[in-house]
Amino acid sequence: MNDQLKGIIIVLAAAALFSTLGVLTNVAFESGMSPVAFAAWRETFGALAMIILLLFGVGRPALQDRVPFSQIPKTQLRNLCIGALAFMRYSLAIFYAFVHLTVALAYLLFYINPAIVTLISSITGREKLTKAKFIALLLALGGSTMAILGQMTGEAVRFDWIGIVLALVAAVGMSVYILVGRSGYSSVPASYATTIFLIAGALAFAIIGFSFGDKDAILLPFQDASHWPLLMFAGVIAAAIPTMMLLTGIRMIGATRSSMLQIFEPVVGSVLAAIFLAQQLYFIQIVGGVLILCAAYILQRSPEPAAGAAEESAVDLPASNPPIVTKS
């Protein structure tokens, strides 16, 4: 199996795991948790899971491949901070968008991020927009639209401008996260970067929650222990593992391909909603899933042009200070 196919499978698997958030957030919100409280606990358990995995050697590079912190270029550390901020912004924005909009509508707006990533990558010359990529983008966007519209069938649409802005902010944040993750901090293994992002998110969301009146929602699990299994599952299965997988996949197949394949998430989310939330699965959603898988097939058959293979992310490293690539 070549690296491109491996990367595609990794990103699709990450999208499938991220899709569990739709069911989890529904259950969490119905039990009295606010978006910021759920996000804080999700990131906390995700960070703890990553620390445990690293202690057992999972995702930890071999001793000879490790790069001392002092030797990591400052531009990469800056990019890592940009990635962390983008991660926090899109995570919090999409959770609050769910409060103001129908979940399906929020996702419909959020999944314009592949178009943003493709456009920026093409304009900056980091990845060429080939005919195959353009066709795959159209298939992926069409497939995600069908999958999401299927969720909205027969459902009263909740709509306001604050929710629309939040969903678009989340889309931009996700785009920045993917673009910078391409190779902006290549000296930092994906497992380490994931741990940093989750710790930063947990701290930021906890501070926001306590500062803006969500203290009771954050402390709710201490009053009702039935929340712990849900939050632990969300942290490990819907945060730690897929975040590390997505970042690994981005580095393997590039930002454009990864952003397109990530929208497999609403398809799997529709299936999970049908199973666990008794929501009906419509034919249009099945067709949407097939279109996204067709896009994945086209991307797998289309090699990356050499011109874009070694490009750096949004903030390039100076030529005199090349990146130190570490196996992750």
Side-chain angles (χ1 to χ4, degrees):
M1 187 186 294
N2 59 46
D3 285 344
Q4 181 164 288
L5 180 56
K6 287 180 183 177
I8 287 173
I9 292 173
I10 287 171
V11 174
L12 287 175
L17 292 177
F18 275 129
S19 70
T20 60
L21 275 176
V23 174
L24 295 173
T25 51
N26 262 280
V27 176
F29 296 168
E30 287 176 4
S31 67
M33 296 205 76
S34 67
V36 73
F38 180 72
W41 281 114
R42 172 180 173 258
E43 313 301 78
T44 297
F45 279 112
L48 290 173
M50 286 305 306
I51 291 170
I52 292 170
L53 289 173
L54 288 171
L55 288 175
F56 281 94
V58 179
R60 190 170 59 191
L63 186 61
Q64 65 271 20
D65 295 323
R66 297 177 194 172
V67 179
F69 182 81
S70 59
Q71 294 182 19
I72 297 176
K74 291 182 178 179
T75 47
Q76 291 197 28
L77 294 177
R78 181 182 61 188
N79 290 346
L80 185 65
C81 292
I82 292 173
L85 289 172
F87 177 84
M88 288 185 284
R89 182 170 69 175
Y90 92 75
S91 296
L92 192 59
I94 195 62
F95 280 132
Y96 271 105
F98 291 157
V99 174
H100 291 272
L101 300 176
T102 302
V103 172
L105 179 57
Y107 272 134
L108 191 63
L109 295 168
F110 176 68
Y111 282 113
I112 67 166
N113 75 76
I116 297 173
V117 171
T118 302
L119 181 63
I120 294 176
S121 295
S122 178
I123 291 174
T124 58
R126 291 180 179 84
E127 294 183 20
K128 290 184 177 179
L129 179 58
T130 61
K131 181 180 178 181
K133 278 187 181 179
F134 182 69
I135 293 172
L137 176 62
L138 293 180
L139 288 173
L141 290 175
S144 68
T145 301
M146 287 182 178
I148 293 168
L149 288 178
Q151 293 179 25
M152 296 172 67
T153 303
E155 182 181 2
V157 177
R158 192 169 66 254
F159 171 94
D160 67 40
W161 287 107
I162 295 176
I164 290 175
V165 170
L166 286 169
L168 293 176
V169 167
V172 173
M174 186 64 180
S175 301
V176 172
Y177 175 74
I178 291 175
L179 287 164
V180 178
R182 173 67 171 93
S183 51
Y185 40 90
S186 54
S187 295
V188 183
S191 55
Y192 289 7
T194 297
T195 306
I196 292 170
F197 294 159
L198 291 171
I199 291 174
L203 291 173
F205 297 149
I207 292 171
I208 291 171
F210 280 107
S211 300
F212 292 94
D214 272 330
K215 178 182 176 181
D216 291 340
I218 292 176
L219 298 179
L220 184 61
F222 293 107
Q223 301 168 10
D224 184 355
S226 65
H227 288 88
W228 293 122
L230 171 72
L231 296 172
M232 285 189 281
F233 185 90
V236 177
I237 304 301
I241 295 175
T243 300
M244 182 169 62
M245 291 175 69
L246 178 60
L247 184 52
T248 300
I250 290 170
R251 292 180 173 185
M252 293 178 71
I253 63 174
T256 301
R257 281 181 166 85
S258 297
S259 63
M260 292 182 200
L261 296 174
Q262 190 224 357
I263 57 179
F264 188 55
E265 180 181 337
V267 177
V268 182
S270 299
V271 175
L272 293 177
I275 296 172
F276 295 103
L277 300 178
Q279 294 181 5
Q280 187 172 347
L281 186 64
Y282 294 93
F283 179 71
I284 190 174
Q285 294 170 294
I286 298 173
V287 174
V290 171
L291 289 180
I292 294 172
L293 290 177
C294 287
Y297 176 76
I298 291 172
L299 293 173
Q300 192 276 322
R301 298 283 296 174
S302 172
E304 182 69 38
E311 293 290 345
E312 278 299 331
S313 70
V315 191
D316 291 340
L317 299 178
S320 59
N321 195 10
I324 306 168
V325 180
T326 302
K327 295 178 182 178
S328 58

